[in-house]
Amino acid sequence: MRVLTAVRLLCLLLLLYHTVSIHISWLAALYGSLLLVSLYILREPAKRVELHTTENPLRGKPLGVSMDDISNELRSNIDKQISALVTYDPVHCQAIEEFEAIKSQTECIFAKRARVWGSCDWDDQLTLEGNIYKCVPTLLKFVHLCPVLGLDAFVIMLSGHEYGRDLQVFGRAVRRVLTMVSSLDPAGVCCMEDTNICRRGWVFQFNKCTMFVTTFAPFYTSNHSRFAFGSKNCFILLQPEVSFAQHDLCPDTPVTNWDKPQTVRDQIRVGFRDAGRPYKIRDTTHYPMAEDIVKPDQPGAENFEWWR
């Protein structure tokens, strides 16, 4: 930069010399040079870019290094360390231990070998929303990995003492849980804000992963399909629809071959009936999915509008 400035000054002096006078004195040339140099040196410095202002174009970008310069190995190590700070072991947790009673005894033929992740251990010092907030990073990890690892479901456990007293209390808790998860949806869909929850076509989703939601609670009796098999806690089971495809489950149908089960769906329905826990089979497959998330506690009762 200094060399360039010197060359420019020299050119200017030569221009002045041949333009103004051939007999220019050395003293005048010296004074002229000092003037030009002073203009350059004493000029007002350029304004600094304040990094804390909202107009800062460098915000969020590393100074002096590009993300392209960071090796894949370093990125992987950073991701692992961050993940370890905000997640937990979803296979060895209280939710999985407590849910085992349902998983091992239900009539669903897929349940026993299902690969399930669970929510973090319940903290009585936190609100319901606080406990759910803690497990959402692991739920997001589950959504990304379920098609790769063949995962089948994510189970959220709630304290039965506080939320499993009756259908109304449980229904409000389920709404709060799903609303909390929905509000943290990275895809920004926030499906629980949809005013059409009670209509056909609505489905619970998180990070663009659509899920079938099933719930279990201690107040359901042994002749109910949502019986908790003695567990004193409540459970919300999130099953990605991709899981059904992985098990090659046939499409839903209102038709059931009760005498000679032909399909997996037939076998499941017959199994629940034979165990004394039959569930309602509608005469159509076009009905609001929300109606099956929290079922009424008495057979034949009207649908429980938990979402209101």
Side-chain angles (χ1 to χ4, degrees):
M1 186 66 184
R2 293 180 180 178
V3 175
L4 180 61
T5 302
V7 171
R8 288 175 178 173
L9 289 174
L10 179 61
C11 291
L12 179 59
L13 290 174
L14 291 174
L15 176 64
L16 292 174
Y17 177 80
H18 291 286
T19 301
V20 180
S21 172
I22 298 178
H23 303 289
I24 187 171
S25 66
W26 286 107
L27 188 60
L30 176 63
Y31 290 156
S33 300
L34 291 175
L35 174 63
L36 293 175
V37 171
S38 67
L39 291 175
Y40 174 76
I41 295 177
L42 301 178
R43 68 180 179 179
E44 184 179 358
K47 293 183 179 180
R48 293 181 56 195
V49 176
E50 296 294 337
L51 297 181
H52 63 273
T53 62
T54 56
E55 295 79 17
N56 175 24
L58 299 178
R59 172 172 288 182
K61 297 181 180 180
L63 301 178
V65 65
S66 169
M67 288 299 291
D68 295 334
D69 298 329
I70 299 177
S71 67
N72 291 333
E73 181 179 1
L74 178 56
R75 291 187 192 186
S76 178
N77 289 336
I78 292 173
D79 291 342
K80 288 178 181 178
Q81 291 177 25
I82 294 175
S83 177
L85 290 174
V86 298
T87 59
Y88 53 91
D89 187 345
V91 176
H92 301 95
C93 56
Q94 186 180 4
I96 293 297
E97 294 175 1
E98 293 281 340
F99 189 68
E100 181 61 29
I102 298 174
K103 183 174 179 290
S104 61
Q105 298 180 72
T106 181
E107 285 67 43
C108 177
I109 62 178
F110 295 121
K112 292 179 177 58
R113 62 176 184 270
R115 304 186 66 183
V116 183
W117 280 15
S119 59
C120 56
D121 292 351
W122 191 263
D123 187 347
D124 291 328
Q125 303 301 314
L126 299 176
T127 62
L128 180 147
E129 284 77 10
N131 277 283
I132 300 306
Y133 185 87
K134 286 177 57 181
C135 72
V136 167
T138 305
L139 174 60
L140 178 59
K141 189 174 182 179
F142 167 85
V143 167
H144 282 295
L145 294 178
C146 66
V148 180
L149 300 181
L151 303 176
D152 296 298
F154 188 94
V155 61
I156 298 174
M157 189 187 78
L158 306 181
S159 169
H161 174 74
E162 187 171 359
Y163 303 108
R165 296 194 299 271
D166 56 47
L167 181 63
Q168 286 69 31
V169 172
F170 180 56
R172 287 194 293 269
V174 171
R175 184 181 68 248
R176 290 171 61 188
V177 168
L178 297 184
T179 298
M180 185 63 187
V181 173
S182 170
S183 70
L184 298 172
D185 184 358
V189 175
C190 302
C191 64
M192 289 298 293
E193 295 180 5
D194 193 335
T195 58
N196 296 317
I197 293 178
C198 58
R199 298 182 180 180
R200 291 185 305 172
W202 179 87
V203 62
F204 185 79
Q205 59 179 298
F206 179 74
N207 199 38
K208 297 184 179 180
C209 176
T210 55
M211 301 180 180
F212 183 77
V213 185
T214 312
T215 59
F216 305 86
F219 59 81
Y220 287 119
T221 57
S222 60
N223 62 345
H224 201 288
S225 61
R226 301 297 174 84
F227 179 51
F229 292 93
S231 175
K232 299 183 184 301
N233 291 309
C234 309
F235 302 93
I236 302 173
L237 190 68
L238 307 177
Q239 297 176 265
E241 290 189 343
V242 66
S243 172
F244 297 105
Q246 290 173 164
H247 292 290
D248 198 25
L249 183 64
C250 60
D252 194 8
T253 173
V255 179
T256 306
N257 194 328
W258 296 103
D259 297 326
K260 295 181 179 180
Q262 300 296 315
T263 66
V264 171
R265 197 176 295 277
D266 287 345
Q267 295 173 30
I268 293 174
R269 291 173 177 176
V270 170
F272 273 91
R273 181 202 62 183
D274 293 347
R277 286 184 282 273
Y279 56 89
K280 182 179 179 180
I281 308 296
R282 294 174 174 82
D283 56 5
T284 177
T285 59
H286 302 289
Y287 60 89
M289 182 178 291
E291 294 179 354
D292 279 350
I293 291 181
V294 179
K295 289 194 172 185
D297 52 357
Q298 297 297 327
E302 294 184 358
N303 295 318
F304 178 66
E305 298 182 346
W306 60 270
W307 57 87
R308 298 193 185 280

